[in-house]
Amino acid sequence: KSSSNTYIFFVFGASGDLAKKKIYPTLWWLYRDGLLPENIIFIGYARSALTVEKVFQNCEKYMKLQDSERDLYKKFISINSYVSGSYDNPKDFQRLHNEANKIAKEETANRLFYLALPPSVYGSVSELISSNCRPKEPAWLRLIVEKPFGKDLESSNNLSKHLSKHYKEEEIYRIDHYLGKEMVQNLVVLRFANRIFSRVWNRDSIAAIIIIFKEDIGTQGRGGYFDEFGIIRDVIQNHLMQILSIVAMEAPRSTKGEDIRDEKVKVLRRIQPIKMEDVTLGQYVGDKNSSNEEHRKGYLDDEGVPKDSKTPTFAQVVMHINNERWDGVPFILRGGKALNEKKAEVRIQFRDMPGSMFEVDGEKTARDELVIRVQPNEAIYLKMNNKRPGEMGFRVEETELDLTYNERYQGVKLPDAYERLILDVFMGHQINFVRSDELEEAWRIVTPVLSEIDDKNNKNVNVIPYPFGSSGLQEAFDICSKYDYTYS
Ligand code: BG6
């Protein structure tokens, strides 16, 4: 699109947690693997007076450096610079702009700005970048923003309005890193390239759908951030609802980004706001008997967390899609920290086999269930009934048709979500980024219950304690049964 083939990648918040754990390591891996354009430079920006060496000292342990890569790594560091400045003074942004032109030796380098910043400064930083740091035409500018995009419908709309004053939608890349995961990207193919799934993907055949996010770590010192948001804003409103919209959408007109995003928004529009009665909340407490030291600490022991916090670290919400395809099918979204394992998966449970001749004493055969395991160990498997092999007669037993990736696709490297998404930004592909109307719909659906949960005097809100390392809240499992999801 542009005549220049020089690129400047700016990392705002270069000294912060996200930059150190994710952004710099991702840039290094992309550079190491030769996936970035040749003429590229990187500029870190933050308030502290640092040097490039300091920035890289901070990140080094996340870089997974091999000895043989040392020379290349040095070369990578040599094309990095660091500028310190405020997040609200136009003069600092002008200085950054001039500095960038000087380092790039031209004014028409394409510019990518990654905002790895606290939400409180998004507004001023995005405005000041737009008014001071734009390259000369025909070069382009792209802004990559990280969640949280607001805290509720109103604040998110305000942020969107603000961004749209200063940027065109084609310039804004709202990251939801779940959209960069292999199995999430695969959902479109699974659904729309397989007749056996496309024909049964509806209320006639499906009893319930569960989308699960589990983590086996607590807030690990991120309590200060987390407490302001809670698990619904942290993973459900974004990661899990993004998955939901792809699982539930109608067939897009094509694989083009805009066609897919159009369908995702359309299905979100058919979801009613969640009701409090469909919400189960929990907060982890230390398990005093655990041999694992981390498990002995509860959420309230995290330094950043107020001692009387009621912020949920576990939530399950049930959503209802009011359209012809999904009427009556519960979509259960469950996310929790400090549980017994790290796992993200989608479970599509089919209805009972009608008029089954294999029913024994009223005992039904197990339901078929399609499981898409997003992580770890990517897999798709179909739980189904089979004759127990080698036995006389019809002994039905549940087994699996199993497509486990590391067996079927041995040796295929699945890129990290951030690597994929950053490359998408270079290429100008917005398909795996969140459009402002999607964002608005997602907030509309969760905002009413969030405001109830945030209201400290609300007697309807019951945050149930669960021990670190448990598999989840029994109360949540009970609701699943009520909604016709059965555990086998
Ligand atoms: C982030 C959340 O968006 O996703 C974190 O803020 C969470 O709380 C993380 O730990 C999980 O990402 P992943 O890729 O490890 O599943």
Side-chain angles (χ1 to χ4, degrees):
K1 268 192 200 164
S2 111
S3 57
S4 170
N5 62 359
T6 308
Y7 299 80
I8 311 178
F9 195 105
F10 295 81
V11 181
F12 270 68
S15 55
D17 216 45
L18 182 68
K20 136 177 121 180
K21 290 191 182 145
K22 277 284 175 198
I23 313 309
Y24 276 115
T26 302
L27 292 172
W28 155 241
W29 298 325
L30 290 173
Y31 178 82
R32 178 198 62 192
D33 296 343
L35 296 170
L36 295 179
E38 223 163 274
N39 292 325
I40 186 164
I41 54 171
F42 305 89
I43 303 182
Y45 185 91
R47 280 181 297 211
S48 354
L50 293 175
T51 56
V52 169
E53 287 65 39
K54 275 262 162 54
V55 171
F56 279 88
Q57 266 164 27
N58 285 341
C59 319
E60 180 140 346
K61 74 175 208 244
Y62 302 99
M63 297 284 192
K64 300 185 196 147
L65 267 186
Q66 306 287 321
D67 276 343
S68 60
E69 298 165 353
R70 286 277 165 195
D71 286 345
L72 193 61
Y73 187 59
K74 270 197 201 132
K75 215 169 139 201
F76 174 64
I77 296 182
S78 76
I79 53 171
N80 270 271
S81 311
Y82 177 81
V83 174
S84 73
S86 72
Y87 290 139
D88 53 8
N89 187 343
K91 287 215 178 83
D92 291 335
F93 286 73
Q94 283 152 18
R95 185 165 49 80
L96 175 66
H97 176 72
N98 296 335
E99 191 72 11
N101 283 338
K102 216 162 71 197
I103 305 172
K105 301 192 190 76
E106 61 168 292
E107 296 180 359
T108 52
N110 300 309
R111 294 183 173 192
L112 300 90
F113 290 88
Y114 201 112
L115 304 196
L117 292 170
S120 53
V121 298
Y122 284 172
S124 64
V125 169
S126 57
E127 181 173 345
L128 291 170
I129 288 175
S130 171
S131 45
N132 298 286
C133 305
R134 284 190 173 271
K136 277 222 171 100
E137 300 227 334
W140 47 250
L141 174 157
R142 292 179 186 148
L143 186 75
I144 310 165
V145 276
E146 269 283 342
K147 74 169 202 338
F149 311 119
K151 283 195 74 177
D152 53 18
L153 182 60
E154 193 187 346
S155 54
S156 164
N157 282 350
N158 288 341
L159 181 63
S160 295
K161 244 189 251 153
H162 181 81
L163 286 179
S164 68
K165 248 198 263 162
H166 303 282
Y167 298 88
K168 292 191 267 214
E169 183 68 24
E170 310 88 85
E171 293 178 321
I172 308 172
Y173 289 74
R174 294 177 196 84
I175 284 228
D176 182 313
H177 77 284
Y178 267 60
L179 293 177
K181 295 196 187 254
E182 180 67 35
M183 282 319 215
V184 176
Q185 300 196 343
N186 188 35
L187 284 170
V188 170
V189 177
L190 188 73
R191 282 199 55 196
F192 300 113
N194 292 298
R195 189 178 169 106
I196 58 159
F197 296 134
S198 77
R199 295 286 125 178
V200 294
W201 211 265
N202 55 48
R203 66 192 301 273
D204 299 333
S205 303
I206 293 176
I209 294 184
I210 304 201
I211 304 173
I212 299 171
F213 166 96
K214 289 169 88 177
E215 251 179 355
D216 56 359
I217 50 172
T219 43
Q220 296 194 320
R222 274 171 87 230
Y225 149 81
F226 190 88
D227 201 66
E228 224 191 291
F229 292 90
I231 194 79
I232 296 183
R233 292 182 178 95
D234 192 46
V235 301
I236 295 184
Q237 180 270 350
N238 33 61
H239 307 328
L240 301 194
M241 278 180 72
Q242 279 292 332
I243 294 178
L244 175 147
S245 63
I246 305 170
V247 168
M249 71 182 179
E250 297 299 312
R253 200 156 27 156
S254 76
T255 52
K256 289 209 183 80
E258 289 320 300
D259 288 339
I260 291 182
R261 299 203 295 180
D262 284 347
E263 288 305 331
K264 285 165 68 192
V265 184
K266 270 197 228 159
V267 76
L268 290 177
R269 291 209 176 106
R270 305 303 288 263
I271 302 181
Q272 302 135 34
I274 305 162
K275 298 198 189 78
M276 207 54 214
E277 69 209 47
D278 281 333
V279 177
T280 316
L281 301 171
Q283 188 185 77
Y284 69 91
V285 293
D287 176 3
K288 297 280 169 280
N289 301 322
S290 175
S291 54
N292 180 329
E293 199 188 322
E294 197 193 347
H295 289 205
R296 291 201 290 271
K297 295 225 169 78
Y299 176 65
L300 298 181
D301 298 320
D302 190 309
E303 269 177 23
V305 175
K307 293 291 165 245
D308 59 348
S309 168
K310 290 269 183 301
T311 300
T313 58
F314 173 99
Q316 177 179 282
V317 303
V318 187
M319 299 195 184
H320 307 275
I321 304 180
N322 186 13
N323 68 9
E324 199 178 338
R325 182 184 292 274
W326 295 118
D327 190 9
V329 180
F331 281 75
I332 303 167
L333 276 55
R334 183 192 300 155
K337 291 199 168 273
L339 296 171
N340 59 337
E341 58 184 346
K342 178 172 171 72
K343 188 184 264 184
E345 63 185 10
V346 183
R347 307 184 78 94
I348 319 260
Q349 188 168 92
F350 292 90
R351 292 189 187 281
D352 290 326
M353 180 72 196
S356 170
M357 58 187 181
F358 296 108
E359 254 184 59
V360 181
D361 300 332
E363 176 105 1
K364 296 197 165 80
T365 45
R367 287 174 164 183
D368 298 336
E369 189 166 66
L370 177 67
V371 184
I372 298 134
R373 190 163 63 223
V374 175
Q375 65 187 33
N377 194 9
E378 291 82 353
I380 300 170
Y381 56 95
L382 179 65
K383 294 172 71 170
M384 52 172 280
N385 294 305
N386 202 35
K387 173 183 167 299
R388 185 184 286 194
E391 285 195 9
M392 313 268 278
F394 298 108
R395 186 90 175 263
V396 177
E397 113 182 327
E398 196 178 26
T399 184
E400 287 158 12
L401 268 177
D402 184 0
L403 174 59
T404 294
Y405 270 38
N406 65 19
E407 284 162 24
R408 180 63 55 90
Y409 299 115
Q410 270 177 30
V412 176
K413 179 182 173 268
L414 302 179
D416 172 79
Y418 273 90
E419 290 183 51
R420 255 197 247 247
L421 294 176
I422 287 181
L423 283 183
D424 274 343
V425 184
F426 274 97
M427 293 187 293
H429 296 163
Q430 288 191 304
I431 183 170
N432 295 313
F433 294 83
V434 184
R435 208 166 65 184
S436 68
D437 50 356
E438 283 180 78
L439 184 63
E440 180 170 356
E441 289 304 320
W443 279 120
R444 177 188 59 75
I445 295 164
V446 296
T447 292
V449 285
L450 286 174
S451 58
E452 284 205 50
I453 295 168
D454 290 347
D455 174 2
K456 299 250 169 342
N457 303 317
N458 191 330
K459 297 269 174 321
N460 280 334
V461 178
N462 181 17
V463 183
I464 305 162
Y466 62 95
F468 200 135
S470 51
S471 61
L473 285 182
Q474 188 55 44
E475 288 79 353
F477 302 142
D478 292 346
I479 289 201
C480 293
S481 312
K482 186 185 115 194
Y483 273 114
D484 200 25
Y485 179 88
T486 49
Y487 286 90
S488 54

